[in-house]
Amino acid sequence: MQGSAYGASLAGGAFDIESFIKQPQTILRCLSWLFSIVVFATITAEGYINPMTKDETKCMFNYNDSACSYGVGIGVLAFLACVIFFILDAYFPQISNAKERKLIVLGDLVFSAAWTFLWFICFCVLANQWSKTSSDTAVAGDAARAVIAFSFFSIATWAFLSYFAYRRYCQGVSEFDQEYRDPANDHTTPYPPAQYPTGYQQSPFPQSQEHPGEYQPPTY
């Protein structure tokens, strides 16, 4: 098997927590985790207000409850995904199966790319709804601007996570191509190639013995 696969050495080595923490992917994962907490916690705690003209609480983003629900949903799912992928990143060097590593890297790539797009949608929706919000909700202005800002920051962190996941995937594919050799074209094997006769060789038996079954009359 290869000496490394998909950006990490094979299983069996000791876990180096210092190098793991210093990895750009780990730092981005922690930042994405923190930004998601800010978004859904702020909306949950301060995102619903009680306007004077309404009896029930409404979302601070133009009284659009769907906008708040979308932000909370995206933030909670991003929070859970960061925890799961953080654990997988920690145990990734201990996984010996290259196919399992490939599935993890592909899952990271697909999820990170999808959440980059969803955070972009979240930023656009919240910014649009806040621009249409009346001035009577100015008391929640700081919370709304914080949610919009950290939604924008999340776009950047998840985009970089997508880039690193894609780079790990390409690295794993290139390592496989370099390690695989066609046995028919592999000249590094210690066994010599088989030798086959290239021409016709005369039989070692005389011509008279080629037909042993033919009757030969005795001589007197």
Side-chain angles (χ1 to χ4, degrees), residues 77-200:
L77 291 177
F79 168 82
L80 296 176
C82 286
V83 174
I84 294 174
F85 282 113
F86 186 84
I87 297 174
L88 291 176
D89 288 341
Y91 282 95
F92 193 81
Q94 307 303 321
I95 301 175
S96 59
N97 194 325
K99 292 183 178 180
E100 293 179 358
R101 290 188 174 193
K102 180 180 180 180
L103 291 177
I104 294 174
V105 173
L106 279 177
D108 186 12
L109 174 60
V110 172
F111 189 90
S112 299
W115 246 247
T116 301
F117 176 74
L118 292 177
W119 274 120
F120 175 76
I121 297 297
C122 182
F123 168 76
C124 293
V125 170
L126 296 181
N128 177 263
Q129 293 299 314
W130 180 247
S131 65
K132 299 177 180 179
T133 303
S134 58
S135 58
D136 58 349
T137 58
V139 64
D142 293 338
R145 283 186 285 270
V147 171
I148 295 173
F150 282 97
S151 297
F152 179 78
F153 297 154
S154 296
I155 299 173
T157 56
W158 284 97
F160 279 114
L161 286 173
S162 301
Y163 166 74
F164 283 111
Y166 178 74
R167 192 173 69 172
R168 278 205 301 177
Y169 176 77
C170 293
Q171 183 178 359
V173 173
S174 62
E175 287 172 354
F176 176 80
D177 292 339
Q178 291 175 3
E179 290 293 331
Y180 176 76
R181 293 189 182 98
D182 189 353
N185 300 324
D186 187 6
H187 302 290
T188 61
T189 176
Y191 302 102
Q195 299 292 334
Y196 300 98
T198 58
Y200 173 79

Side-chain angles (χ1 to χ4, degrees), residues 25-109:
Q25 192 168 350
T26 303
I27 298 174
L28 290 170
R29 196 86 69 191
C30 292
L31 290 175
S32 300
W33 176 77
L34 179 62
F35 295 164
S36 64
I37 293 178
V38 173
V39 171
F40 78 80
T42 302
I43 295 177
T44 302
E46 305 180 34
Y48 292 90
I49 59 176
N50 189 8
M52 295 181 295
T53 58
K54 299 182 182 295
D55 297 332
E56 57 184 6
T57 57
K58 289 292 182 180
C59 177
M60 61 181 174
F61 293 100
N62 198 27
Y63 305 142
N64 188 347
D65 292 338
S66 298
C68 286
S69 299
Y70 182 83
V72 172
I74 295 299
V76 170
L77 291 177
F79 168 82
L80 296 176
C82 286
V83 174
I84 294 174
F85 282 113
F86 186 84
I87 297 174
L88 291 176
D89 288 341
Y91 282 95
F92 193 81
Q94 307 303 321
I95 301 175
S96 59
N97 194 325
K99 292 183 178 180
E100 293 179 358
R101 290 188 174 193
K102 180 180 180 180
L103 291 177
I104 294 174
V105 173
L106 279 177
D108 186 12
L109 174 60

